[in-house]
Amino acid sequence: MSGPAVRVRTRKDLRGERRRRPPRCLDHLTVAPLWPLHGVNLGTLLRTCDAVGACLAVPRLPWVPEALERGNTLRRPACVHWVGNALRWLERRREAGHHVVGVELAEEAVRLADLPMARRPTIAVLGHEREGIPPEALDLLDAVVEIPMIGTGASLNVAVAGSLVLYKLAGFA
């Protein structure tokens, strides 16, 4: 009888392959949960940002720093951009040439499976978990992506939805 066909990589193996320091802000991929509802999702999303080399843009709300700290298990700081006025921030990013993609159920939405890898600086905008992206922000989107679901729920939580879209935009999925 031979050994297992699957060899699990050890922590030492992984350390040799991964970056020793977090990358500086590459300004290529940013996930922006600009209207968050549940704080625990922000720390989880920050870990996904680290995994794919993305930045996290979050609103300057009093509870957000603690939420990031509580949910974040990274040993080193990740790239976080603090946003004052969400609409103005999105306008400025578009003016700077960023492609702004909203994650929302909408007509003309691209299915997640058909979302191409980001070829230019891209922001994935996530809305409020109950209300979605506010109507006044919809005109600031260049495109919309939807995550198909066959269950009875109307949406995924922000951390899961953002992670799926980031992996797709980064070209990992």
Side-chain angles (χ1 to χ4, degrees), residues 46-172:
L46 188 60
R47 291 182 359 232
T48 301
C49 289
D50 178 71
V52 301
C55 298
L56 178 68
V58 290
R60 285 195 183 275
L61 297 173
W63 57 270
V64 170
E66 180 189 342
L68 287 173
E69 186 66 32
R70 190 175 11 149
N72 180 13
T73 60
L74 300 172
R75 292 187 179 140
R76 295 190 169 100
C79 183
V80 177
H81 298 265
W82 295 95
V83 175
N85 181 308
L87 298 177
R88 183 67 192 125
W89 183 80
L90 285 172
E91 287 172 356
R92 286 194 313 265
R93 301 286 75 206
R94 281 188 76 197
E95 290 167 2
H98 286 71
H99 185 60
V100 181
V101 178
V103 181
E104 189 64 83
L105 298 173
E107 292 182 23
E108 306 298 322
V110 174
R111 288 174 29 99
L112 180 64
D114 298 326
L115 182 67
M117 183 175 96
R119 301 271 183 219
R120 66 181 203 199
T122 301
I123 298 169
V125 178
L126 302 165
H128 186 278
E129 288 176 315
R130 278 194 218 125
E131 310 297 324
I133 297 173
E136 60 272 17
L138 294 175
D139 288 338
L140 299 173
L141 305 176
D142 296 311
V144 180
V145 62
E146 99 175 41
I147 302 170
M149 296 172 42
I150 60 171
T152 59
S155 67
L156 299 169
N157 76 38
V158 165
V160 173
S163 295
L164 289 170
V165 171
L166 276 178
Y167 267 85
K168 195 69 172 136
L169 287 170
F172 295 154

